[in-house]
């Protein structure tokens, strides 16, 4: 994967994923031109026999009978072309989308959060769909632009070299024509595409800001603004289009002029005015009409290419958005580690651990060396930016330390570096309750089984009981099958937190990671969550991020972090002893910054 | 069936001449195209016949036909160019009007009505729908009318020489132009609808799953999610594939009918020639005229496919416009004018959905110039209270008055003039930073700069190469989350309204900046009523009163001094629960 790949190169490289269909589509297009030769033969033959040979009707029967099957064959080939093109586009998009989705897992949640989920889903969904026109229509058509004119030239040249010369001279094969039509149009078409995009973005922007406009009392006035802006966009776009259409008019001009030239040349040959451009056999009406009927098809592929041009511009814009995701280089773990299934409880040993966010100069975790003992509850405190979340991200395997080591110790086993454990195996040992619990739209059972797909209904009920949710459950109309999330039953913050807790119970993991599990809950929920936490943490190794006194009191030891460094690692009592870093001062000052 | 399109057709009336000219030019291009091929065909046949003997070859008048051929070649080019310019210009004019029209019908709706549950992408969809509707003229009406007239022209050209053949040609072309696309359009609708349903569902699902990526990864469920998303996409794409098949089949049908038409015409012409009822040189003309007319017919299937999309877009726009505004404002002349700015909320209850209340009988009095802090955990109804005041949501019970006048008796202009609001989300418009801050008021740059300075945005502004005249980036914004929030506060404070409402103004700020922002807010709100909602315990003593909300109930409402003096008050408990020394120590020295 070259890092300096252009969008066009990427589009080209990706095309190989649907190459089979694209080839079939081009083949159908090529064959359809060959069938056109038959059609032209039929029509020209009929005219020749009627006008020149003055035959009777029976001589027309063969070409007349041949015409419908020729048209049907052409129709079948056009159909095949459409279907193959669509199929190729669909396959490429499915493959690209799968790669993107799998890539997300490699890049990790930290990266995904930086991208904003709406932007990211727009890329994975809409931008990938924007590739369809390019692969289904534009690319096969581009290939046909190189094939069809040559077939027609080969058919015309043996009849009259002068006619072939007219086609060549005015034709799309001439690089100057291509340059005039292609490059000129390209820049302008892209400009137009950009203008159109800006125009609809401006409208979207206005709609999205409607409530702000209302609040500032200018929403009524804005209607005229919408019109004025749209009109000025129109004027600018039309300036671009006047030039853009000129280049397609050039193509149109050459096509028309060459048909006229051909007709005049052939007519004057018939009338005996011209004597050049033919071979010994001369030119009869059949040959002339045959050439005339084929002439428009000589230019047709390029004209059609112009119709699909916006698909190309769209695809290039999409590729520009997708490439950074696909080509971004990240640390990837060795995937062929031996399986790891711990039996006893886990302890962790961090030595000189340093971690840094991309593009930051200061380390988020700076030379951390601590032991996290088996089955202890370690609380981590510190101001925001101290490195608490970073520590959690490192423990979850979402972030890779740039220096130092993190070893996992199992009671009687040799220590093992986290880096040598497959991330699937490691994550299987983690239960996590964060500040915001994810509720996916689906049934309650589906939401719980996220943590353990094999759990029986009884397991789910037990977990709900452990998480103090059984009372809520009895109030649900369909029990475990009640739908939650979008379009289903609304779930309060406290309930969501307890569903996350129930998941943690179902997981039965060795390591429990908690991030402010009681923040911004109402009083009743908070008490229930605290009780459930006490049950969950028993017999497991727990790392808890908090600044709540009640939670600190549950912890065996407290790790104080500041600016990525360890300030203290002690029991709470020692920290609060006189002279200790958390020693009580005389009066509480209420105007501090804390969450409710 | 096409009723939903009527309002949009009516929008076109001011430009009838322009639209007509576009169609006329298109028709001219088509006629030139047919003329070029048909005349060339006749010219070849006639000159070949004349060339058989030297005598006729010399008397053959080639001047007129050759001039005609040259004329058609040039008029085809010219008309095509002119047609493109005119139809595009007309389309853009229509689009401007369409946008205004859609905006005006959406504007009266309250944001709560527009952004209902699960409609986070409504605006994006609306924009796409408007863009689709602009194709009504360019992609549907104009090509259809032109194709129809093209068929007539073709029939007339042939009919001049042989009326029966002309009639047959016109009818047969009409059939081949309409039948295939119409069948595809009818059959395609089910797949099209299914595709759209699947697409919307899958996209929403993807967004939801991306939001829960950490948890899904921890629970090893991401790969399963990827599989099920791809599976869903395959189901969706199966509909797309069916549509492509139908589209292909309709092309096959059109081609078959064209082949039969051509065979019929040539057969009839041949028969007539052998019976000496028709000049033989016209056979090629007829064949080529039909092939020329088919160029226009070939555009029809696409037009019909677009028609389906446009109809769906029109239906969706109608659906949104059908949402009658829930909040009506009295006219300027009928409103009650407030006396003073004392806010009184009495027994306010708000239900967002039928059964779930977000506020229960909340009563509050806010004197003019008073500073009130509303505290509560997230989801306690704070923002809904704000939205009720600015009439973005309608209360189900209770009354709110301002200076003695009920809020719903104020005209919209009067109501808006009372409040300066900074919502949680700050929307940056694609306009200069200056325009984004003044929002149409005449405010000089010094005032703006001073405001940015007090909100610690001076450094940010100095990094902008174009200063206040700079634009936010087209993709995303060039302000960080905390900066954006302060930008929103600056915008609200610059508005000289007697009541200032700030929703979580210091979320995501570091402590030093937070202090500075509070200081600025207090300074700017001296003498103005200030209501701040937050879920953080901040600067309690700076406020005259504190209201605590929990699960939609007002649980405490008093001065901070009295609340803190009461050892059992929720506020006291909260303040003690979070160890102050701990918090104090945790701040870097």
């Amino acid at each position: 994967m070259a890092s300096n790949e252009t969008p066009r190169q990427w589009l080209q490289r990706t095309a190989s994923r649907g190459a089979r269909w694209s080839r079939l589509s081009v083949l159908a297009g090529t064959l359809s031109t060959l069938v056109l030769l038959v059609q032209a033969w039929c029509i020209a033959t009929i005219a020749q026999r009627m006008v020149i040979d003055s035959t009777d009707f029976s001589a027309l029967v063969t070409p007349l009978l041949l015409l419908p099957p020729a048209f049907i064959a052409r129709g079948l080939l056009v159909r095949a072309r459409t279907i193959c093109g669509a199929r190729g586009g669909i396959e490429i998009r499915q493959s690209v989308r799968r790669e993107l989705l799998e890539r997300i897992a490699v890049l990790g949640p930290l990266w995904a959060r930086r991208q904003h989920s709406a932007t990211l889903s727009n890329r994975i969904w809409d931008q990938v769909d924007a590739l369809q026109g390019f692969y289904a229509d534009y690319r096969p058509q581009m290939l046909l632009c190189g094939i069809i004119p040559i077939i027609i030239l080969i058919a015309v040249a043996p009849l009259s070299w002068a006619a072939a010369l007219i086609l060549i001279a005015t034709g799309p094969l001439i690089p100057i024509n291509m340059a005039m039509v292609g490059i000129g149009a390209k820049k302008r078409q892209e400009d137009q595409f950009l203008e159109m995009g800006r125009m609809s973005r401006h409208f979207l922007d206005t709609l999205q800001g409607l409530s702000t406009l209302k609040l500032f009392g200018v929403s009524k006035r804005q209607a005229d603004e919408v019109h004025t802006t749209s009109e000025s966009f129109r004027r600018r776009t039309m300036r671009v289009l006047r030039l853009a259409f000129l280049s397609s008019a050039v193509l149109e001009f050459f096509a028309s002029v060459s048909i006229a030239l051909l007709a005049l040349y052939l007519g004057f040959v018939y009338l005996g005015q011209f004597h050049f451009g033919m071979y010994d056999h001369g030119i009869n009406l059949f040959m002339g009409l045959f050439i005339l009927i084929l002439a428009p098809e000589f230019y047709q592929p390029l004209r059609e290419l112009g119709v699909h041009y916006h698909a190309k511009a769209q695809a290039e814009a999409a590729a520009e958005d997708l490439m950074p995701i696909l080509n971004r280089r990240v640390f990837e773990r060795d995937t062929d580690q031996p399986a790891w299934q711990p039996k006893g409880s886990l302890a962790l040993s961090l030595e000189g651990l340093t971690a840094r966010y991309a593009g930051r100069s200061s380390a988020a975790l700076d030379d951390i060396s601590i032991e996290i003992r088996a089955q202890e509850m370690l609380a981590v405190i510190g101001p925001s930016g101290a490195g608490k979340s970073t520590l959690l991200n490192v423990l979850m395997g979402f972030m890779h330390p740039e220096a130092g080591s993190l070893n996992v110790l199992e009671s009687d086993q040799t220590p093992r570096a986290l880096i040598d454990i497959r991330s699937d195996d490691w994550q299987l040992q983690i239960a996590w309750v964060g500040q915001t619990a994810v509720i996916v739209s689906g049934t309650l059972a589906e939401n719980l089984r996220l943590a353990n797909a094999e759990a029986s209904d009884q397991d789910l009920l037990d977990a709900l009981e452990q998480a103090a949710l059984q009372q809520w459950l009895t109030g649900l109309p369909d029990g475990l099958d009640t739908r939650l999330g979008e379009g289903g039953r609304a779930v309060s913050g406290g309930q969501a937190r307890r569903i996350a807790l129930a998941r943690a119970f179902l997981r039965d993991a060795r390591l429990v990671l908690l991030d402010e599990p009681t923040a911004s809950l109402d009083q009743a929920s908070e008490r229930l969550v605290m009780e459930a936490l006490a049950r969950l943490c028993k017999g497991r190794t727990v790392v808890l991020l908090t600044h709540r006194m009640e939670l600190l009191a549950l912890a065996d030891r407290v790790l104080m972090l500041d600016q990525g460094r360890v300030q203290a690692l002690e029991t709470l009592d020692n920290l609060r002893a006189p002279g200790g870093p958390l020693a009580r001062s005389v009066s509480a000052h209420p105007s501090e910054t804390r969450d409710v | 069936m096409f009723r939903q399109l009527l309002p949009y057709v009516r929008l076109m009336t001011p430009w009838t001449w322009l639209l007509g000219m576009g169609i006329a030019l298109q028709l001219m291009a088509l006629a030139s195209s047919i003329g070029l091929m048909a005349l060339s065909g006749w010219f070849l046949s006639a000159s070949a016949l004349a060339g058989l003997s030297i005598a006729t070859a010399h008397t053959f008048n080639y001047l007129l036909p050759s001039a005609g051929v040259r004329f058609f070649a040039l008029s085809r080019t010219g008309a095509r160019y002119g047609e493109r310019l005119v139809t595009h210009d007309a389309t853009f004019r229509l689009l401007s009007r369409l946008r205004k029209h859609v905006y005006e019908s959406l504007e009266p709706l309250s944001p709560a009505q527009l952004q209902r549950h699960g409609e986070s992408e409504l605006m994006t969809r609306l924009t796409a729908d408007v863009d689709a509707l602009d194709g009504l003229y360019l992609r549907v009406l104009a090509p259809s009318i032109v194709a129809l007239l093209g068929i007539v022209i073709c029939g007339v050209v042939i009919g001049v020489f042989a009326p029966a053949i002309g009639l047959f040609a016109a009818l047969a072309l009409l059939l081949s132009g309409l039948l295939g696309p119409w069948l595809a359009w009818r059959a395609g609708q089910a797949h099209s609808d299914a595709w759209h349903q699947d697409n919307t569902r899958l996209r929403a699902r993807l967004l939801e799953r991306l939001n829960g990526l950490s948890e899904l990864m921890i629970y090893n469920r991401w790969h399963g999610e990827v599989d099920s998303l791809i599976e869903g996409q395959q189901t969706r794409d199966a509909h797309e594939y069916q549509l492509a098949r139908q589209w292909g089949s309709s092309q096959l049908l059109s081609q078959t009918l064209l082949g039969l038409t051509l065979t019929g015409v040539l057969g009839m012409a041949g028969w007539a020639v052998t019976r000496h009822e028709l000049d033989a040189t016209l056979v090629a003309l007829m064949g080529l005229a039909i092939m020329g007319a088919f160029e226009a017919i070939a555009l029809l299937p696409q037009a019909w496919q677009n028609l389906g999309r446009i109809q769906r877009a029109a239906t969706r726009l109608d659906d949104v416009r059908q949402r009658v505004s829930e909040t009506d404002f009295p006219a300027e002349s009928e409103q009650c004018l407030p006396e003073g700015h004392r806010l009184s909320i009495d027994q306010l209850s708000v239900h967002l959905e039928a059964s779930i209340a977000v506020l229960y009988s909340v009563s509050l009095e806010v004197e003019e110039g008073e500073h009130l802090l509303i505290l509560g955990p997230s989801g306690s109804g704070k923002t809904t209270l704000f939205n009720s005041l600015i009439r973005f949501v309608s209360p189900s019970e209770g009354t709110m008055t301002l200076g003695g006048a009920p809020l719903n008796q104020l005209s919209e202009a009067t109501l808006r003039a009372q409040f300066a609001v900074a919502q949680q989300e700050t929307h940056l418009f694609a306009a200069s930073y200056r325009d984004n801050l003044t929002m149409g008021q005449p405010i000089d740059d010094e005032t703006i700069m001073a405001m940015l300075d007090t909100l610690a945005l001076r450094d940010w502004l100095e990094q902008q190469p174009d200063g206040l005249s700079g634009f936010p980036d087209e993709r995303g914004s060039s302000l960080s989350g905390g900066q954006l929030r302060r930008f929103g506060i600056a915008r609200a404070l610059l508005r000289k309204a007697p009541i200032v409402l700030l929703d979580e103004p210091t979320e995501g700020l570091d402590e030093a900046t937070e202090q500075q922002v509070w200081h600025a807010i207090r300074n700017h709100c001296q003498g103005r009523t200030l209501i701040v909602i937050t879920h953080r315990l901040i600067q309690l003593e700076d406020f005259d009163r504190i209201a605590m909300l929990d699960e939609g109930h007002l649980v405490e409402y008093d001065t901070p001094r009295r609340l803190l003096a009461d050892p059992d008050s929720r506020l006291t408990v909260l303040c003690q629960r979070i160890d102050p020394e701990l918090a104090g120590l945790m701040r870097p020295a």
Side-chain angles (χ1 to χ4, degrees), chain A residues 73-121:
Chain A
R74 193 140 199 240
L76 281 171
L77 288 166
V78 170
R79 180 173 180 269
R81 214 192 125 184
T82 306
I83 292 176
C84 291
R87 188 64 180 268
I90 287 172
E91 275 189 14
I92 290 174
R93 279 183 301 151
Q94 282 175 356
S95 147
V96 169
R97 192 165 284 145
R98 175 176 282 279
E99 190 186 337
L100 278 171
L101 289 169
E102 274 162 7
R103 197 78 199 139
I104 300 262
V106 177
L107 293 169
L110 290 179
W111 173 86
R113 217 171 295 152
R114 275 203 304 277
Q115 314 298 307
H116 298 291
S117 47
T119 316
L120 199 54
S121 79

Side-chain angles (χ1 to χ4, degrees), chain A residues 150-459:
Chain A
I150 289 175
I151 294 179
I152 289 173
L153 268 185
I154 291 174
V156 168
L159 302 177
S160 159
W161 59 259
L165 211 62
I166 291 176
L167 288 180
I168 291 175
T170 59
L173 296 180
I174 301 288
I176 297 169
N177 273 1
M178 282 296 265
M180 252 164 88
V181 175
I183 300 169
K186 178 178 177 286
K187 175 80 185 75
R188 291 182 198 117
Q189 293 248 26
E190 273 165 12
D191 285 352
Q192 188 213 351
F193 188 67
L194 208 72
E195 282 288 320
M196 293 291 283
R198 282 207 189 118
M199 200 154 146
S200 54
R201 258 203 305 280
H202 175 266
F203 186 58
L204 176 65
D205 181 54
T206 309
L207 287 183
Q208 282 173 335
L210 191 55
S211 63
T212 307
L213 294 170
K214 268 177 185 284
L215 288 175
F216 286 84
V218 290
S219 61
K220 295 261 191 293
R221 243 192 283 161
Q222 192 68 16
D224 290 323
E225 181 68 21
V226 165
H227 191 258
T228 322
T229 313
S230 196
E231 280 291 279
S232 83
F233 273 125
R234 173 181 69 82
R235 277 189 285 275
R236 256 179 293 160
T237 310
M238 284 313 295
R239 263 206 294 278
V240 174
L241 286 182
R242 269 196 279 280
L243 284 170
F245 290 154
L246 206 59
S247 53
S248 52
V250 169
L251 183 68
E252 194 82 37
F253 175 75
F254 278 121
S256 307
V257 161
S258 85
I259 293 171
L261 277 179
L262 281 172
L264 296 180
Y265 162 74
L266 291 164
F268 286 124
V269 166
Y270 293 148
L271 292 173
Q273 312 259 6
F274 288 171
H275 301 282
F276 63 90
M278 53 201 136
Y279 307 100
D280 296 339
H281 51 66
I283 300 181
N284 59 14
L285 179 59
F286 162 78
M287 295 176 190
L289 278 178
F290 184 76
I291 293 171
L292 185 71
I293 293 168
L294 289 183
E297 296 296 320
F298 186 73
Y299 304 92
Q300 196 55 28
L302 207 62
R303 283 173 68 189
E304 270 176 43
L305 192 67
V307 175
H308 300 305
Y309 212 94
H310 68 280
K312 183 186 181 234
Q314 241 172 350
E316 277 179 4
E320 215 161 312
D321 275 348
L322 298 179
M323 282 165 54
I325 305 179
L326 293 170
N327 292 354
R328 190 186 158 84
R329 255 175 257 175
V330 286
F331 169 87
E332 275 180 77
R333 232 185 261 238
D334 221 342
T335 44
D336 20 275
Q337 306 289 354
W340 179 74
Q341 272 180 317
K343 308 216 166 37
S345 45
L346 298 179
L348 296 167
S349 153
L350 286 65
E351 262 168 72
L353 194 83
T354 302
R356 196 187 304 269
Y357 290 101
R360 296 285 178 82
S361 55
S362 58
L365 283 180
D366 192 359
D367 196 18
I368 302 280
S369 298
I370 53 165
E371 301 279 330
I372 301 173
R373 297 170 192 157
Q375 299 195 16
E376 84 165 330
M377 184 195 250
L378 178 74
V380 184
I381 60 173
S384 62
K388 292 176 296 187
S389 310
T390 312
L391 179 64
L392 221 52
N393 282 322
V394 170
L395 290 179
M396 285 193 274
F398 290 161
M399 190 169 175
H400 302 287
E402 66 173 35
S405 64
L406 202 170
N407 286 304
V408 182
L409 298 90
E410 227 184 308
S411 42
D412 47 353
Q413 309 274 318
T414 47
R416 194 154 161 178
L418 181 62
I419 212 163
D420 294 334
I421 298 172
R422 273 202 308 228
S423 60
D424 282 4
D425 284 345
W426 174 243
Q427 282 164 354
L428 208 55
Q429 296 309 323
I430 300 176
W432 179 41
V433 180
Q435 289 192 38
T436 50
V438 168
I439 300 295
V440 296
S441 30
T443 64
L444 172 59
E446 281 163 6
N447 264 289
L448 293 173
R449 286 206 174 98
L450 279 184
N452 182 355
E454 274 97 57
S456 68
D457 278 4
Q458 191 53 48
D459 294 339

Side-chain angles (χ1 to χ4, degrees), chain A residues 51 57 64 68 71-72 75-76 79 82-83 86-87 93-94 97-98 101 104-105 109 113 117 125-126 129 196 198-201 204-205 209-212 214 216 219-220 222-224 230-231 234 238 242 245-246 248 253 256 260 263-264 266-268 270 273 292 303 321 381 383 424 427-428 432 438 440-441 449-450 486 503 507 522-523 526 548-550 552 560 576 581-582 584-585 590 592-596, chain B residues 37 43-44 47 49 51 60 62 66 69 73 76-77 81 84-85 88-89 92-93 96 99-100 103 107 109 111 118 123 127 131 199 202-203 207-209 211-215 217-222 227 233-234 236-237 240-241 244-245 247-249 251-252 255 258-259 263 267 271 274 280 295 412 416 427-430 474-475 491 495 514 535-537 541 550-551 570 574 577-579 581-582 585-587:
Chain A
V51 179
F57 192 74
L64 279 179
F71 273 93
I72 292 173
L76 281 171
R79 180 173 180 269
T82 306
I83 292 176
R87 188 64 180 268
R93 279 183 301 151
Q94 282 175 356
R97 192 165 284 145
R98 175 176 282 279
L101 289 169
I104 300 262
R113 217 171 295 152
S117 47
W125 208 258
D126 304 313
D129 280 342
M196 293 291 283
R198 282 207 189 118
M199 200 154 146
S200 54
R201 258 203 305 280
L204 176 65
D205 181 54
L210 191 55
S211 63
T212 307
K214 268 177 185 284
F216 286 84
S219 61
K220 295 261 191 293
Q222 192 68 16
D224 290 323
S230 196
E231 280 291 279
R234 173 181 69 82
M238 284 313 295
R242 269 196 279 280
F245 290 154
L246 206 59
S248 52
F253 175 75
S256 307
L264 296 180
L266 291 164
F268 286 124
Y270 293 148
Q273 312 259 6
L292 185 71
R303 283 173 68 189
D321 275 348
I381 60 173
D424 282 4
Q427 282 164 354
L428 208 55
W432 179 41
V438 168
V440 296
S441 30
R449 286 206 174 98
L450 279 184
E486 204 154 308
R503 283 188 197 137
R507 188 71 164 180
D522 59 274
Q523 265 185 321
E526 186 175 335
R548 283 276 162 91
M549 208 56 216
E550 294 100 316
L552 280 188
M560 289 179 61
R576 303 187 95 185
L582 287 184
R584 271 181 184 277
S585 59
E592 298 294 346
T593 306
R594 291 141 315 183
D595 280 8
V596 168
Chain B
M37 286 306 283
F43 179 59
L44 288 198
S47 57
L49 186 65
F60 184 74
Y62 55 80
S66 64
V69 164
R76 179 169 105 148
T77 312
Y81 180 69
R84 285 200 175 140
L85 280 189
H88 279 81
D89 191 56
F92 291 139
R93 280 174 203 269
S96 302
R99 292 213 161 110
K100 189 179 174 194
Y103 179 83
E107 194 272 336
L109 302 181
M123 296 307 185
T127 313
D131 286 349
N199 194 47
L202 286 168
R203 198 203 280 152
L207 183 61
E208 188 184 83
R209 299 309 203 253
N211 279 326
L213 184 60
S214 318
E215 257 152 297
M217 278 184 68
I218 281 292
Y219 291 135
N220 290 341
R221 292 303 294 269
W222 181 248
D227 288 340
Q233 192 200 348
Q234 279 162 355
R236 182 199 75 161
D237 289 348
E240 198 172 328
Y241 183 63
R245 280 179 71 105
W247 168 218
S249 303
Q251 285 169 304
L252 170 62
Q255 285 280 344
L258 173 69
T263 313
W271 184 249
T274 49
E295 198 182 312
E412 182 158 23
R416 299 286 170 236
H427 182 84
L428 270 190
F429 292 93
E474 282 200 337
R475 288 163 190 242
R491 173 146 90 185
R495 186 171 162 80
E514 186 172 31
H535 68 269
R536 290 149 72 83
L537 294 176
E541 291 103 343
D550 194 359
E551 302 250 287
R570 281 286 288 275
L574 268 177
R577 237 177 30 175
I578 299 160
D579 202 306
E581 301 98 287
L582 186 58
L585 183 131
M586 276 167 17
R587 197 176 319 137

Side-chain angles (χ1 to χ4, degrees), chain B residues 257-389:
Chain B
L257 289 171
L258 173 69
L260 292 174
T261 311
L262 199 60
T263 313
V265 167
L266 289 177
M268 283 163 81
W271 184 249
V273 168
T274 49
R275 295 182 58 195
H276 303 289
E277 286 164 10
L278 188 73
D279 187 349
T281 51
L282 293 168
V283 173
L285 177 144
M286 293 180 178
L288 288 171
I290 286 176
M291 306 242 320
F294 191 71
E295 198 182 312
I297 294 174
L299 292 173
L300 279 182
Q302 251 174 334
W304 283 72
Q305 234 182 11
N306 274 311
L307 183 61
R309 254 180 60 210
I310 290 168
Q311 279 181 301
R312 272 191 298 278
T315 312
R316 277 195 294 259
L317 278 178
D318 272 358
D319 176 52
V320 175
R321 294 193 304 148
Q322 294 297 312
R323 296 179 193 172
V324 187
S325 177
E326 286 167 3
T327 39
D328 12 291
F329 294 89
E332 293 288 332
S333 54
E334 290 161 16
Q335 64 171 331
C336 281
L337 279 174
E339 288 166 35
H341 299 102
R342 183 172 186 273
L343 257 182
S344 165
I345 299 170
D346 190 30
Q347 303 279 317
L348 180 76
S349 295
V350 178
H351 289 75
L352 282 194
E353 285 164 49
S355 55
I356 304 161
V358 268
L359 282 180
Y360 297 92
S361 297
V362 171
S363 300
L364 286 170
E365 301 281 332
V366 189
E367 299 298 332
E368 186 166 345
E370 189 175 283
H371 289 190
L372 169 70
L373 181 69
I374 303 180
L375 273 172
S378 56
S380 57
K382 304 183 301 276
T383 303
T384 307
L385 183 63
F386 260 26
N387 284 337
S388 310
L389 284 175

Side-chain angles (χ1 to χ4, degrees), chain B residues 389-427:
Chain B
L389 284 175
I390 55 181
R391 299 202 59 203
F392 277 8
V393 299
S394 307
S396 38
E397 279 159 53
T399 52
M400 295 172 287
T401 58
L402 174 72
L407 279 183
N408 55 11
Q409 306 277 309
L410 304 182
S411 77
E412 182 158 23
T414 311
L415 180 84
R416 299 286 170 236
Q418 306 304 317
F419 294 103
V421 187
Q423 292 175 295
Q424 274 186 45
E425 303 277 328
T426 306
H427 182 84

